[in-house]
Amino acid sequence: MITLDTSGLFALLNRSDRDHRAARDALLSDGGPYLVPVGILGEISYLVEERLGTPVLEAMLSDLEAGGLRAECGENDLARIRQLVVRYADLPLGFAEACVIACAERNGGAVLTLDRRDFDVVAADVPLALLP
């Protein structure tokens, strides 16, 4: 099970991204499911629509609808998200990243991210396996 961060999902969706192949290979090395925390949906949707266009946004939404990507609500994670935001306020660890971490904690710890700066700091305290 892999939890997708915005940066990892964006690289997967953008075939011209220099990290696309590494992100795709990391995803294909795992049988899934591939979890998309709902806390990143606004962020990733905006980036995809602005930079890649509506057809790619539609493809991502179609994958979510069909279950190729699984939307992970995590409403029970709110207390943990708040703890992470407070604990790592000096990074600053934002809401979206805290959602990814809380989701990953509950689902095996694997995170597909290219934003290693914040996640490396948190991974020193929280058992996360950062991919690729």
Side-chain angles (χ1 to χ4, degrees), residues 11-36:
L12 284 169
L13 296 170
N14 183 2
R15 291 185 178 158
S16 65
D17 190 293
R18 64 184 169 98
D19 295 307
H20 173 76
R21 183 177 297 236
R24 186 195 69 209
D25 290 349
L27 202 70
L28 293 175
S29 72
D30 185 275
Y34 311 115
L35 308 175
V36 179

Short mmCIF file of all heavy atoms in Angstrom, two decimals, residues 11-36:
data_model
loop_
_atom_site.label_atom_id
_atom_site.label_comp_id
_atom_site.label_asym_id
_atom_site.label_seq_id
_atom_site.Cartn_x
_atom_site.Cartn_y
_atom_site.Cartn_z
N ALA A 11 4.06 13.93 -10.42
CA ALA A 11 5.07 13.32 -11.28
C ALA A 11 4.49 12.13 -12.05
O ALA A 11 4.82 11.91 -13.22
CB ALA A 11 6.29 12.90 -10.47
N LEU A 12 3.62 11.36 -11.40
CA LEU A 12 2.98 10.24 -12.08
C LEU A 12 2.10 10.71 -13.24
O LEU A 12 2.07 10.09 -14.30
CB LEU A 12 2.11 9.45 -11.10
CG LEU A 12 2.82 8.54 -10.13
CD1 LEU A 12 1.86 8.05 -9.07
CD2 LEU A 12 3.46 7.37 -10.86
N LEU A 13 1.41 11.79 -13.02
CA LEU A 13 0.46 12.29 -14.02
C LEU A 13 1.14 13.06 -15.15
O LEU A 13 0.57 13.23 -16.23
CB LEU A 13 -0.58 13.20 -13.35
CG LEU A 13 -1.48 12.50 -12.34
CD1 LEU A 13 -2.28 13.53 -11.55
CD2 LEU A 13 -2.39 11.50 -13.02
N ASN A 14 2.35 13.54 -14.92
CA ASN A 14 3.06 14.39 -15.88
C ASN A 14 4.17 13.59 -16.54
O ASN A 14 5.27 13.47 -16.01
CB ASN A 14 3.62 15.61 -15.15
CG ASN A 14 4.31 16.58 -16.08
OD1 ASN A 14 4.34 16.38 -17.29
ND2 ASN A 14 4.86 17.63 -15.50
N ARG A 15 3.91 13.06 -17.71
CA ARG A 15 4.88 12.20 -18.38
C ARG A 15 6.17 12.94 -18.76
O ARG A 15 7.19 12.30 -18.97
CB ARG A 15 4.26 11.58 -19.63
CG ARG A 15 3.21 10.58 -19.26
CD ARG A 15 2.66 9.88 -20.46
NE ARG A 15 1.70 8.90 -20.02
CZ ARG A 15 0.76 8.42 -20.77
NH1 ARG A 15 0.64 8.80 -22.03
NH2 ARG A 15 -0.10 7.54 -20.29
N SER A 16 6.14 14.25 -18.82
CA SER A 16 7.36 15.00 -19.14
C SER A 16 8.14 15.39 -17.88
O SER A 16 9.23 15.96 -17.99
CB SER A 16 7.02 16.25 -19.96
OG SER A 16 6.25 17.15 -19.20
N ASP A 17 7.64 15.05 -16.71
CA ASP A 17 8.35 15.34 -15.46
C ASP A 17 9.60 14.47 -15.40
O ASP A 17 9.56 13.28 -15.70
CB ASP A 17 7.43 15.03 -14.27
CG ASP A 17 7.98 15.51 -12.96
OD1 ASP A 17 9.01 14.95 -12.51
OD2 ASP A 17 7.40 16.43 -12.36
N ARG A 18 10.71 15.06 -14.97
CA ARG A 18 11.97 14.30 -14.91
C ARG A 18 11.90 13.13 -13.93
O ARG A 18 12.67 12.19 -14.03
CB ARG A 18 13.13 15.22 -14.58
CG ARG A 18 13.06 15.85 -13.22
CD ARG A 18 14.22 16.84 -13.02
NE ARG A 18 14.03 17.63 -11.83
CZ ARG A 18 14.60 17.35 -10.66
NH1 ARG A 18 15.41 16.34 -10.55
NH2 ARG A 18 14.37 18.12 -9.62
N ASP A 19 10.97 13.16 -12.99
CA ASP A 19 10.83 12.09 -12.01
C ASP A 19 9.67 11.14 -12.33
O ASP A 19 9.35 10.27 -11.51
CB ASP A 19 10.63 12.70 -10.61
CG ASP A 19 11.85 13.45 -10.14
OD1 ASP A 19 12.95 12.87 -10.15
OD2 ASP A 19 11.71 14.64 -9.77
N HIS A 20 9.06 11.30 -13.49
CA HIS A 20 7.91 10.47 -13.85
C HIS A 20 8.25 8.98 -13.82
O HIS A 20 7.54 8.18 -13.21
CB HIS A 20 7.37 10.85 -15.23
CG HIS A 20 6.31 9.93 -15.72
ND1 HIS A 20 5.01 9.95 -15.25
CD2 HIS A 20 6.36 8.91 -16.62
CE1 HIS A 20 4.30 9.01 -15.85
NE2 HIS A 20 5.09 8.36 -16.68
N ARG A 21 9.33 8.60 -14.47
CA ARG A 21 9.69 7.18 -14.56
C ARG A 21 9.96 6.58 -13.18
O ARG A 21 9.50 5.49 -12.86
CB ARG A 21 10.88 6.97 -15.47
CG ARG A 21 11.25 5.51 -15.64
CD ARG A 21 12.38 5.37 -16.61
NE ARG A 21 11.93 5.86 -17.90
CZ ARG A 21 11.95 5.15 -19.01
NH1 ARG A 21 12.42 3.93 -18.98
NH2 ARG A 21 11.52 5.64 -20.14
N ALA A 22 10.70 7.30 -12.35
CA ALA A 22 11.01 6.80 -11.00
C ALA A 22 9.74 6.66 -10.17
O ALA A 22 9.56 5.67 -9.45
CB ALA A 22 12.00 7.72 -10.30
N ALA A 23 8.84 7.63 -10.28
CA ALA A 23 7.57 7.57 -9.55
C ALA A 23 6.72 6.41 -10.06
O ALA A 23 6.15 5.64 -9.27
CB ALA A 23 6.82 8.89 -9.68
N ARG A 24 6.65 6.27 -11.36
CA ARG A 24 5.87 5.17 -11.95
C ARG A 24 6.43 3.81 -11.54
O ARG A 24 5.70 2.90 -11.17
CB ARG A 24 5.85 5.30 -13.48
CG ARG A 24 4.91 4.27 -14.13
CD ARG A 24 5.14 4.14 -15.59
NE ARG A 24 6.46 3.50 -15.75
CZ ARG A 24 7.27 3.68 -16.78
NH1 ARG A 24 6.94 4.50 -17.74
NH2 ARG A 24 8.42 3.06 -16.84
N ASP A 25 7.75 3.68 -11.61
CA ASP A 25 8.38 2.40 -11.24
C ASP A 25 8.14 2.07 -9.76
O ASP A 25 7.91 0.90 -9.42
CB ASP A 25 9.88 2.44 -11.53
CG ASP A 25 10.18 2.43 -13.03
OD1 ASP A 25 9.25 2.19 -13.83
OD2 ASP A 25 11.35 2.70 -13.39
N ALA A 26 8.20 3.08 -8.90
CA ALA A 26 7.93 2.86 -7.47
C ALA A 26 6.50 2.38 -7.27
O ALA A 26 6.24 1.46 -6.49
CB ALA A 26 8.18 4.14 -6.67
N LEU A 27 5.58 2.97 -7.99
CA LEU A 27 4.18 2.58 -7.87
C LEU A 27 3.97 1.16 -8.39
O LEU A 27 3.30 0.35 -7.76
CB LEU A 27 3.29 3.57 -8.63
CG LEU A 27 1.85 3.62 -8.20
CD1 LEU A 27 1.74 4.26 -6.82
CD2 LEU A 27 1.04 4.41 -9.20
N LEU A 28 4.58 0.86 -9.53
CA LEU A 28 4.40 -0.46 -10.14
C LEU A 28 5.07 -1.58 -9.34
O LEU A 28 4.72 -2.75 -9.51
CB LEU A 28 4.91 -0.45 -11.58
CG LEU A 28 4.11 0.42 -12.55
CD1 LEU A 28 4.78 0.44 -13.92
CD2 LEU A 28 2.67 -0.04 -12.66
N SER A 29 6.00 -1.22 -8.47
CA SER A 29 6.67 -2.23 -7.65
C SER A 29 5.79 -2.71 -6.50
O SER A 29 6.13 -3.65 -5.79
CB SER A 29 7.98 -1.69 -7.09
OG SER A 29 7.74 -0.72 -6.09
N ASP A 30 4.65 -2.07 -6.32
CA ASP A 30 3.73 -2.40 -5.23
C ASP A 30 2.37 -2.74 -5.85
O ASP A 30 1.95 -2.10 -6.81
CB ASP A 30 3.59 -1.18 -4.31
CG ASP A 30 2.74 -1.46 -3.10
OD1 ASP A 30 1.49 -1.34 -3.20
OD2 ASP A 30 3.31 -1.80 -2.05
N GLY A 31 1.71 -3.72 -5.31
CA GLY A 31 0.42 -4.15 -5.86
C GLY A 31 -0.75 -3.25 -5.53
O GLY A 31 -1.85 -3.48 -5.99
N GLY A 32 -0.51 -2.21 -4.71
CA GLY A 32 -1.58 -1.31 -4.35
C GLY A 32 -2.31 -1.79 -3.11
O GLY A 32 -1.91 -2.77 -2.51
N PRO A 33 -3.34 -1.13 -2.72
CA PRO A 33 -3.93 0.04 -3.35
C PRO A 33 -3.05 1.28 -3.20
O PRO A 33 -2.13 1.31 -2.39
CB PRO A 33 -5.26 0.22 -2.60
CG PRO A 33 -5.03 -0.39 -1.27
CD PRO A 33 -4.04 -1.51 -1.50
N TYR A 34 -3.34 2.27 -4.02
CA TYR A 34 -2.63 3.53 -4.02
C TYR A 34 -3.57 4.57 -3.43
O TYR A 34 -4.62 4.87 -3.98
CB TYR A 34 -2.21 3.90 -5.44
CG TYR A 34 -1.53 2.73 -6.12
CD1 TYR A 34 -2.11 2.12 -7.22
CD2 TYR A 34 -0.34 2.21 -5.62
CE1 TYR A 34 -1.50 1.03 -7.83
CE2 TYR A 34 0.26 1.11 -6.22
CZ TYR A 34 -0.32 0.53 -7.33
OH TYR A 34 0.27 -0.56 -7.92
N LEU A 35 -3.17 5.09 -2.28
CA LEU A 35 -4.05 5.94 -1.48
C LEU A 35 -3.80 7.41 -1.74
O LEU A 35 -2.65 7.86 -1.72
CB LEU A 35 -3.84 5.64 0.00
CG LEU A 35 -3.94 4.17 0.41
CD1 LEU A 35 -3.59 4.00 1.88
CD2 LEU A 35 -5.32 3.62 0.10
N VAL A 36 -4.86 8.16 -1.96
CA VAL A 36 -4.80 9.60 -2.15
C VAL A 36 -5.57 10.23 -0.99
O VAL A 36 -6.80 10.20 -0.97
CB VAL A 36 -5.42 10.03 -3.49
CG1 VAL A 36 -5.36 11.54 -3.65
CG2 VAL A 36 -4.73 9.33 -4.66
#
